[in-house]
Amino acid sequence: MKKVLVIGAGFMGAGIAQVCAQSGYRVFLTDSNAEALEKAVADIKWSVEKLARKGLVTEAPETVLGRLSPEQGLMKAAESDWVIEAVIEEEGLKKEIFEELDHLAPAETPLASNTSSIPISRLASATKCPERVLGLHFFGPVPFMALVEVIKGEKTSDDVFERGVAFVQSLGKWPLPVHRDIPGFVINRILFSAFRECAELIDEGIVTPENIDVGMRLGLGWNIGPFEIADNAGLDTFLRVGKAMKALGEDHLVPRSDRVERMVNEGRLGRKVGKGFYRYTADGKRLPWDSDS
Ligand SMILES: NC(=O)c1ccc[n+]([C@@H]2O[C@H](COP(=O)([O-])OP(=O)(O)OC[C@H]3O[C@@H](n4cnc5c(N)ncnc54)[C@H](O)[C@@H]3O)[C@@H](O)[C@H]2O)c1
């Protein structure tokens, strides 16, 4: 059985670990925060059991969950066929992890990052073998989103890139090959430029966030509006990605106002804490921020 090490057990890492376990991989999941790791394992169990009840996972939940184990540190890289890094969007931290992985993982093991914005070549520069570093950019919630961008860094070998495409297919996902390593890759560049315009429209009092979301759904056929996407992704993550894009000179993709930063400082981190652009009831129902109900 092929083995995958997932580093970072937050919203994305937990989802990636779940999908890998559902696809028959032996999965090691690690996080520097013991509570986050424990929560991730509990969330994955809840999700796999729910999907099994709906017939969307055909194996017994115990079988899927039996392939997953929480781990401390990065040592399991030494026996893994794939490593996927999904820690917070901080270039320095990710580079430290890639440097350590480069020593621990066997030479043939590809090292992937789930970064939303940081060019893969910058992360690969922390390793002695940038040929085996690539981007695997999943979308959240991972069990339900079919797309994964497969990003070729400047030095990623053709073999590793092709293996990345095949790996994504083995998870039942759709690989979108990205042949040039630019900040934000493809889909996030488009999302962030749309979000920037939407944020300015609400900053100027022209429209409410909920009416933009309705507009994008009913007018353009989006399944979900930009503010719903931001709340689901986590506004702290959205803010970090915006800052990373800005640091890379992509100011034109980042909203001019500090609205998201102010919201994060007020604890409005999105769906995960029950408040963001919207409010959420305990059973997950989304309500406009200023509604009485
Ligand atoms: N949220 C999204 O919708 C989304 C989508 C695609 C990609 N991403 C990217 O995925 C990555 C993770 O995002 P997220 O939304 O899961 O964030 P998150 O905050 O939910 O989870 C990040 C996790 O990383 C852990 N962590 C921090 N430092 C660590 C370390 N040194 N070693 C191990 N674990 C560490 C944290 O404890 C946390 O549990 C980021 O690079 C983000 O840009 C996010």
Side-chain angles (χ1 to χ4, degrees):
M1 194 184 295
K2 296 277 187 195
K3 298 174 187 169
V4 183
L5 169 64
V6 180
I7 305 160
F11 178 55
M12 295 305 290
I16 294 166
Q18 176 177 337
V19 163
C20 290
Q22 285 174 193
S23 305
Y25 290 93
R26 172 84 177 89
V27 182
F28 308 118
L29 178 60
T30 184
D31 198 291
S32 55
N33 177 335
E35 257 174 50
L37 186 55
E38 203 175 310
K39 179 177 182 304
V41 172
D43 287 351
I44 293 170
K45 180 172 185 292
W46 177 84
S47 176
V48 170
E49 286 172 351
K50 190 170 171 190
L51 290 173
R53 278 197 299 279
K54 290 183 169 177
L56 297 171
V57 164
T58 48
E59 286 182 303
E62 314 76 78
T63 308
V64 174
L65 297 167
R67 291 198 281 266
L68 172 77
S69 61
E71 303 287 341
Q72 285 187 342
L74 305 183
M75 289 310 290
K76 286 289 181 188
E79 55 177 286
S80 294
D81 300 283
W82 278 91
V83 178
I84 306 173
E85 168 279 310
V87 305
I88 53 174
E89 192 78 345
E90 279 186 23
E91 184 171 334
L93 175 63
K94 287 183 189 282
K95 276 183 169 162
E96 279 172 28
I97 290 174
F98 274 88
E99 191 178 356
E100 196 175 338
L101 290 173
D102 199 32
H103 295 293
L104 292 172
E108 61 280 8
T109 296
L111 307 178
S113 176
N114 184 50
T115 175
S116 302
S117 58
I118 304 163
I120 298 309
S121 313
R122 295 174 75 98
L123 304 179
S125 71
T127 72
K128 290 198 177 66
C129 187
E131 296 77 11
R132 63 160 157 168
V133 181
L134 78 165
L136 290 181
H137 181 220
F138 291 78
F139 289 76
V142 182
F144 300 103
M145 289 293 159
L147 191 74
V148 182
E149 288 177 314
V150 182
I151 302 126
K152 196 170 192 304
E154 281 164 23
K155 296 187 177 162
T156 309
S157 72
D158 289 344
D159 175 55
V160 164
F161 186 65
E162 280 157 25
R163 284 166 65 196
V165 168
F167 176 68
V168 167
Q169 285 166 336
S170 77
L171 302 179
K173 304 278 185 203
W174 180 271
L176 190 158
V178 180
H179 295 285
R180 207 164 119 208
D181 191 19
I182 53 173
F185 317 118
V186 173
I187 301 301
N188 267 350
R189 291 182 74 87
I190 298 167
L191 172 64
F192 270 72
S193 55
F195 186 79
R196 174 184 160 110
E197 183 60 27
C198 295
E200 291 192 8
L201 290 168
I202 63 167
D203 282 343
E204 289 176 25
I206 293 166
V207 62
T208 61
E210 47 281 13
N211 276 338
I212 286 194
D213 284 345
V214 170
M216 298 307 274
R217 277 192 262 121
L218 301 187
L220 291 184
W222 285 30
N223 279 337
I224 167 173
F227 294 105
E228 296 168 272
I229 293 175
D231 267 7
N232 288 350
L235 296 188
D236 47 347
T237 299
F238 233 69
L239 179 63
R240 279 201 192 92
V241 173
K243 285 188 172 178
M245 296 250 222
K246 221 170 173 175
L248 293 160
E250 303 287 333
D251 301 51
H252 64 289
L253 296 176
V254 185
R256 269 189 285 252
S257 85
D258 63 353
R259 173 186 287 269
V260 173
E261 184 145 24
R262 281 189 280 113
M263 291 173 73
V264 168
N265 291 339
E266 287 166 19
R268 286 169 64 179
L269 305 184
R271 185 181 270 283
K272 62 187 164 190
V273 296
K275 53 185 183 173
F277 283 102
Y278 292 87
R279 298 190 290 118
Y280 299 86
T281 59
D283 57 359
K285 196 171 153 213
R286 190 179 57 243
L287 300 172
W289 176 252
D290 50 10
S291 68
D292 296 329
S293 48

